[in-house]
C-alpha cells in the first residue's frame, strides 16, 4: 500500500484518537502529522505489512505519550480551537463533541488511548497488543471506561 | 448504557473533516525535514574535512613530532576530536523508537532512558574535558620539566582542573538534571503503576 493511500485511510482515525487524548485540535494535528512522517520514514523497512494499522496506531499513541515529557516541563492549559458557530442546530452538535472530549480528557492517559482505539472499532486483541496489556485487562478496562464515560456524559446533560 | 454509548460513538465519529490535517502539509513537512537533515550531514562532513586539514597543516607546519610529549598531546587531542565527531554523527542519525514498542514498553523505556541518556552525556563531556586538559598538560610538559617549581604549578593546575570537573561540575549538572526530570519521572512512575 502506498503512503498516500495509507494517509487517506488512517489520518482521520489517528486525528480523532489524538484529539481524544489531548483535547486540543492544534496538538492533535501536530501529532498526526508527526505520526505520518515517522510512517513515511520507516515504511520501506517494514517487514510485516499484515498489521500495518496496528503499527500506525502504535506510533501515534507512543507519540501522544511522549508529550508527557513536554507537558511536565511546560505546563499547558488545553483549550478547544473551534471557530464560533452561529447556527443553533450545529452549535448543539458542537456542544456534544466538546463535552465528549472534555469527559475523555478527564480519564487517565492510557484510558484515553484505550477508549479512542475502541471508538475507532479496533478489536480488543489489537488494542491489547498496541497498549501492551493482556486481553482480559483491556476487556475489563473498556467495560469500566464505558461506564465512567456514559455517566460523565449524562452528568453534562 | 448501550444506547448511550452508541450515541457517544456517533459523536466521536462526527468530528468536522475540515479539521483533519492536510496531506500536502505532511508532504511539505517531510521535504523540509529531509532538507534539514541533509544540511546537518553536509555541515558535519565540512567540519570533519576542515578539522582534518587543520590538523594535517598543524602537524606539518609545527613539526613537533620530535617531541614525545607534544606528540602525545596531539594524539590525545586528535582522538578526542574524532570521538566528538562520532558522537555528533550519532545524534544526527538518532531515531526515537516509537514504531517498535507497545505503549507500556514505551513508557518503561522512556522512564529509564531519560536519566540514563542525560547522565551519559555528562560523563562524555567530563571525560572529554579531562582529555583536553591532559593534552594541554603534555603539550607544556617538556617546557616545564626544566624547573621543578614550574612542573609543580603545571601539575597542580591539571589536578585542580580535574577536581573542578569531576567533583564540582559533574555532580552539579547531574543534580540539575535530576531536579528537571523529577516531575517527569514521577508522572511516568504514576502512569506505569496505575496500569492495572
Amino acid at each position: 500500500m502506498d503512503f498516500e493511500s495509507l494517509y487517506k485511510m488512517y489520518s482521520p482515525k489517528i486525528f480523532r484518537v489524538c484529539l481524544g487524548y489531548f483535547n486540543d485540535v492544534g496538538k492533535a494535528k501536530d501529532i498526526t502529522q508527526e505520526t505520518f512522517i515517522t510512517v513515511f520514514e520507516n515504511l520501506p523497512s517494514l517487514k510485516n505489512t499484515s498489521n500495518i494499522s496496528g503499527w500506525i496506531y502504535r506510533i501515534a499513541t507512543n507519540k501522544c505519550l511522549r508529550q508527557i515529557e513536554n507537558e511536565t516541563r511546560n505546563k499547558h492549559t488545553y483549550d478547544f480551537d473551534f471557530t464560533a458557530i452561529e447556527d443553533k442546530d450545529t452549535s448543539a452538535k458542537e456542544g456534544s463533541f466538546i463535552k465528549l472530549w472534555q469527559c475523555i480528557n478527564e480519564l487517565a492517559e492510557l484510558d484515553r488511548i484505550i477508549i479512542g482505539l475502541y471508538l475507532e472499532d479496533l478489536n480488543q486483541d489489537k488494542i491489547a497488543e498496541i497498549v501492551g496489556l493482556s486481553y482480559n485487562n483491556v476487556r475489563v478496562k473498556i467495560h469500566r471506561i464505558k461506564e465512567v464515560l456514559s455517566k460523565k456524559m449524562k452528568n453534562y446533560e | 448504557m448501550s444506547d448511550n454509548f452508541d450515541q457517544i460513538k456517533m459523536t466521536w465519529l462526527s468530528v468536522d473533516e475540515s479539521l483533519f490535517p492536510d496531506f500536502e502539509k505532511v508532504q511539505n513537512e517531510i521535504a523540509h525535514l529531509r532538507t534539514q537533515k541533509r544540511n546537518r550531514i553536509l555541515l558535519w562532513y565540512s567540519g570533519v574535512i576542515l578539522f582534518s586539514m587543520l590538523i594535517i597543516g598543524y602537524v606539518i607546519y609545527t613539526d613537533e613530532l620530535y617531541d614525545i610529549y607534544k606528540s602525545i598531546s596531539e594524539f590525545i587531542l586528535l582522538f578526542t576530536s574524532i570521538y566528538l565527531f562520532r558522537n555528533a554523527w550519532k545524534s544526527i542519525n538518532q531515531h526515537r523508537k516509537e514504531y517498535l514498542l507497545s505503549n507500556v514498553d514505551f513508557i518503561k523505556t522512556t522512564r529509564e532512558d531519560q536519566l540514563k541518556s542525560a547522565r551519559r552525556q555528562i560523563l562524555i563531556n567530563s571525560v572529554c574535558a579531562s582529555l583536553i586538559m591532559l593534552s594541554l598538560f603534555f603539550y607544556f610538559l617538556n617546557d616545564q620539566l626544566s624547573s621543578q617549581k614550574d612542573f609543580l604549578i603545571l601539575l597542580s593546575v591539571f589536578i585542580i582542573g580535574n577536581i573542578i570537573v569531576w567533583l564540582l561540575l559533574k555532580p552539579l549538572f547531574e543534580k540539575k538534571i535530576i531536579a528537571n526530570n523529577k516531575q517527569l519521572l514521577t508522572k511516568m512512575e504514576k502512569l506505569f503503576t496505575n496500569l492495572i
Side-chain angles (χ1 to χ4, degrees):
Chain A
M1 203 183 245
D2 67 306
F3 178 68
E4 190 171 349
S5 312
L6 278 175
Y7 186 85
K8 285 181 175 155
M9 188 181 292
Y10 292 106
S11 64
K13 299 171 191 279
I14 298 297
F15 176 76
R16 283 191 294 259
V17 169
C18 294
L19 185 59
Y21 184 86
F22 290 111
N23 191 20
D24 182 312
V25 171
K27 260 213 151 41
K29 270 187 182 172
D30 288 343
I31 299 302
T32 305
Q33 194 172 280
E34 282 179 33
T35 300
F36 283 95
I37 289 169
T38 304
V39 166
F40 180 83
E41 285 171 353
N42 295 287
L43 195 58
S45 57
L46 185 69
K47 285 169 192 155
N48 180 16
T49 54
S50 60
N51 188 19
I52 209 161
S53 64
W55 177 64
I56 295 173
Y57 278 116
R58 200 178 300 153
I59 295 170
T61 52
N62 282 337
K63 284 200 185 285
C64 290
L65 290 167
R66 191 174 274 290
Q67 294 307 301
I68 291 171
E69 290 177 56
N70 300 327
E71 275 175 57
T72 48
R73 289 198 175 108
N74 314 302
K75 290 202 173 164
H76 289 298
T77 47
Y78 295 111
D79 207 0
F80 270 104
D81 185 24
F82 295 109
T83 51
I85 305 288
E86 284 166 13
D87 184 80
K88 259 192 191 172
D89 288 339
T90 43
S91 89
K93 194 179 162 194
E94 282 279 307
S96 219
F97 70 68
I98 288 173
K99 281 173 202 163
L100 174 61
W101 266 274
Q102 279 172 348
C103 291
I104 293 173
N105 200 245
E106 288 167 16
L107 301 170
E109 283 87 350
L110 273 172
D111 289 352
R112 289 181 229 163
I113 287 173
I114 290 171
I115 198 63
L117 295 174
Y118 181 74
L119 286 164
E120 288 300 331
D121 279 333
L122 263 76
N123 64 42
Q124 292 176 7
D125 267 330
K126 212 164 205 172
I127 296 174
E129 192 198 306
I130 291 166
V131 175
L133 295 174
S134 67
Y135 169 80
N136 286 331
N137 200 343
V138 164
R139 194 170 54 87
V140 167
K141 274 192 170 289
I142 287 173
H143 179 75
R144 236 180 262 157
I145 296 165
K146 278 167 79 173
E147 271 183 0
V148 166
L149 205 56
S150 301
K151 219 182 265 180
K152 281 181 186 284
M153 287 297 285
K154 266 202 179 123
N155 290 342
Y156 266 110
E157 278 159 16
Chain B
M1 192 177 85
S2 171
D3 288 342
N4 195 20
F5 208 78
D6 288 339
Q7 183 60 42
I8 287 171
K9 189 164 179 180
M10 274 172 60
T11 308
W12 171 270
L13 294 170
S14 67
V15 171
D16 186 358
E17 283 180 18
S18 66
L19 295 173
F20 297 158
D22 183 25
F23 179 64
E24 210 179 289
K25 203 179 171 196
V26 170
Q27 279 187 311
N28 291 340
E29 186 63 25
I30 288 170
H32 170 70
L33 288 170
R34 281 180 142 178
T35 308
Q36 259 190 343
K37 188 170 179 177
R38 201 170 41 236
N39 290 343
R40 277 205 298 269
I41 291 169
L42 208 69
L43 196 69
W44 183 87
Y45 273 117
S46 307
V48 169
I49 292 165
L50 187 67
F51 176 74
S52 310
M53 282 166 61
L54 274 170
I55 288 290
I56 292 164
Y58 174 75
V59 168
I60 294 169
Y61 177 74
T62 56
D63 192 22
E64 305 275 23
L65 293 174
Y66 63 88
D67 185 330
I68 183 81
Y69 297 118
K70 286 192 170 143
S71 303
I72 293 170
S73 168
E74 281 170 12
F75 275 118
I76 292 170
L77 202 61
L78 183 68
F79 285 115
T80 308
S81 311
I82 289 169
Y83 180 77
L84 287 170
F85 271 119
R86 186 179 158 268
N87 208 39
W89 176 253
K90 271 174 88 177
S91 72
I92 290 170
N93 288 306
Q94 199 177 359
H95 287 291
R96 287 179 150 187
K97 298 203 183 282
E98 282 103 356
Y99 60 95
L100 292 175
L101 303 169
S102 70
N103 297 158
V104 167
D105 290 338
F106 175 77
I107 293 167
K108 258 196 256 179
T109 54
T110 303
R111 200 176 51 142
E112 287 156 9
D113 283 351
Q114 275 291 316
L115 267 182
K116 202 173 155 185
S117 139
R119 278 196 169 128
R120 189 178 162 269
Q121 195 54 49
I122 292 171
L123 184 67
I124 288 170
N125 292 344
S126 305
V127 169
C128 288
S130 286
L131 286 172
I132 289 168
M133 282 191 277
L134 187 68
S135 165
L136 288 169
F137 175 78
F138 276 113
Y139 186 81
F140 292 111
L141 186 61
N142 208 19
D143 299 334
Q144 309 306 316
L145 279 175
S146 50
S147 157
Q148 198 182 22
K149 183 186 162 195
D150 289 343
F151 172 73
L152 285 170
I153 291 171
L154 181 68
L155 185 64
S156 308
V157 168
F158 174 68
I159 291 170
I160 290 167
N162 275 286
I163 288 171
I164 291 171
V165 166
W166 289 94
L167 298 181
L168 231 85
L169 293 176
K170 186 175 173 281
L172 199 73
F173 279 113
E174 277 183 349
K175 201 176 171 185
K176 193 179 171 189
I177 278 163
I178 290 169
N180 285 347
N181 280 286
K182 200 176 176 184
Q183 213 179 355
L184 169 65
L185 289 170
T186 310
K187 192 154 187 180
M188 289 277 188
E189 194 69 52
K190 193 181 164 188
L191 198 69
F192 188 67
T193 50
N194 284 342
L195 284 174
I196 308 194

